[in-house]
Amino acid sequence: MDIDDPLVYLNGEFTPLSQARVPVLDRGFIFGDGVYDVVPLYGRRMFRPAQHLARLARSLRETGIPNPHDEATWLELIGRVSAALPASDQLVYIQVTRGVARRGHAFPAHVTPTVFIMANPLVPPSREMREQGVACVSIEDQRWLRCDIKATSLLGNVLAAQHAASHGVTEAVQFRDGWLTEGSSTNIWVVADGVLMTPPRDNLILEGIRYGLLEELCGAIGITFQSRRIAREDVTGADELLMSSASKEVLAITTLDGQRIGNGVPGPIYHALFDAYQQAKRAP
Ligand SMILES: Cc1ncc(COP(=O)(O)O)c(C=O)c1O
């Protein structure tokens, strides 16, 4: 198999990525009318698949797109796509759009969802990023008010990510009216006085699968966890600042807008959570 042209799944067929095609009237293309999820695999084993599939099911429910598969079928399809990739650590991308129909905003009748699944190697942050932490910039959150849905219409997130890229930094940390929301594709965590805090599970953020996981890991290793609104001053004045996502895992943010966070190096809570995460992801 050509590793630059892996097998993907599209609407019932397994085909090389370069040959996968969707019609231009697919509502994913026309309206960004679709949802997605990204499941990590370590040593070819899915990490927290039930949680990812539950989140996908919720995104589908919230957008009124019928869930095309039961959990067993999703697991089988993900397994088959990932089996075609040589890398043993992977990110599997699953997308479901409302389907193909004549253009018109409201839901069309009798439309079949488009299902696409592809796998890519999971490349975790480099040793340098882990040891030194990373720089981030802040940006006003310009997204819609249903950030809890993992929708493919990601223009606000794309613009935030590009803001970070154009500043040569890893991530953009978003604030809405002075309150922390999240990164362009990460959840953000603040440490003060040994307590790990993150914004509440509400419509203003996507609840990462690592949200619940870090909460669990905190319980297991004795770190106090709080889910609460966090003001900008509490972010800039934090002892530590972290981000999490399937691809970044847990990563320390050591500067924000060029200002040092805490001592400017990854701190003890980061190290404890990083170690716990590494154990959890390889646990049998
Ligand atoms: C906007 C947003 N927030 C948070 C996350 C983190 O979610 P997870 O931990 O499931 O990767 C992501 C992941 O891509 C995201 O896009």
Side-chain angles (χ1 to χ4, degrees):
M1 190 202 50
D2 178 355
I3 56 166
D4 294 323
D5 195 17
L7 275 193
V8 300
Y9 174 86
L10 180 64
N11 294 336
E13 315 249 316
F14 292 88
T15 157
L17 177 61
S18 63
Q19 274 152 55
R21 299 272 182 280
V22 287
V24 288
L25 285 181
D26 192 287
R27 289 176 62 98
F29 179 63
I30 297 286
F31 292 118
D33 183 2
V35 301
Y36 74 108
D37 218 286
V38 179
V39 186
L41 281 81
Y42 292 103
R44 300 199 164 275
R45 271 203 3 246
M46 292 174 221
F47 186 45
R48 305 231 142 188
Q51 288 85 339
H52 282 278
L53 292 179
R55 184 171 67 182
L56 177 64
R58 179 182 183 276
S59 298
L60 289 165
R61 216 169 36 243
E62 292 296 314
T63 49
I65 299 174
N67 192 335
H69 299 303
D70 59 21
E71 187 173 318
T73 308
W74 280 121
L75 292 173
E76 190 197 327
L77 294 174
I78 296 167
R80 286 187 62 184
V81 171
S82 67
L85 203 72
S88 70
D89 293 353
Q90 304 181 10
L91 288 173
V92 174
Y93 176 89
I94 307 162
Q95 171 167 331
V96 183
T97 76
R98 199 175 305 280
V100 180
R102 296 271 309 250
R103 189 178 182 281
H105 288 57
F107 300 175
H110 315 302
V111 69
T112 307
T114 300
V115 179
F116 172 58
I117 306 176
M118 68 175 165
N120 285 293
L122 190 166
V123 183
S126 65
R127 171 187 282 264
E128 189 192 348
M129 288 166 89
R130 283 191 277 119
E131 288 179 352
Q132 296 176 12
V134 296
C136 289
V137 286
S138 66
I139 187 173
E140 183 62 23
D141 197 330
Q142 304 178 74
R143 301 173 303 159
W144 69 331
L145 295 174
R146 291 302 308 274
C147 297
D148 56 308
I149 300 173
K150 203 160 169 60
T152 57
S153 31
L154 284 171
L155 193 50
N157 306 61
V158 165
L159 294 177
Q162 182 53 32
H163 181 69
S166 66
H167 285 77
V169 301
T170 301
E171 177 61 301
V173 177
Q174 300 174 102
F175 291 87
R176 196 183 282 276
D177 303 325
W179 299 96
L180 174 65
T181 56
E182 62 182 338
S184 71
S185 59
T186 56
N187 289 119
I188 303 291
W189 306 78
V190 169
V191 177
D193 300 324
V195 175
L196 184 75
M197 293 172 281
T198 198
R201 298 168 160 99
D202 62 16
N203 61 311
L204 301 181
I205 65 159
L206 179 80
E207 182 188 338
I209 301 307
R210 270 125 290 280
Y211 193 120
L213 176 59
L214 292 202
E215 185 177 7
E216 260 176 47
L217 295 178
C218 278
I221 58 182
I223 296 170
T224 306
F225 168 88
Q226 278 176 10
S227 160
R228 68 154 171 90
R229 300 223 305 158
I230 301 169
R232 179 183 269 273
E233 309 78 76
D234 294 330
V235 175
T236 50
D239 297 330
E240 298 181 41
L241 194 58
L242 317 179
M243 70 173 84
S244 68
S245 73
S247 62
K248 295 290 188 301
E249 301 185 337
V250 187
L251 188 61
I253 301 170
T254 42
T255 69
L256 184 66
D257 298 324
Q259 303 293 312
R260 219 166 66 168
I261 300 291
N263 298 327
V265 292
I269 301 277
Y270 160 73
H271 285 295
L273 285 172
F274 176 84
D275 291 347
Y277 192 95
Q278 298 311 307
Q279 263 191 14
K281 78 182 196 188
R282 304 276 178 208

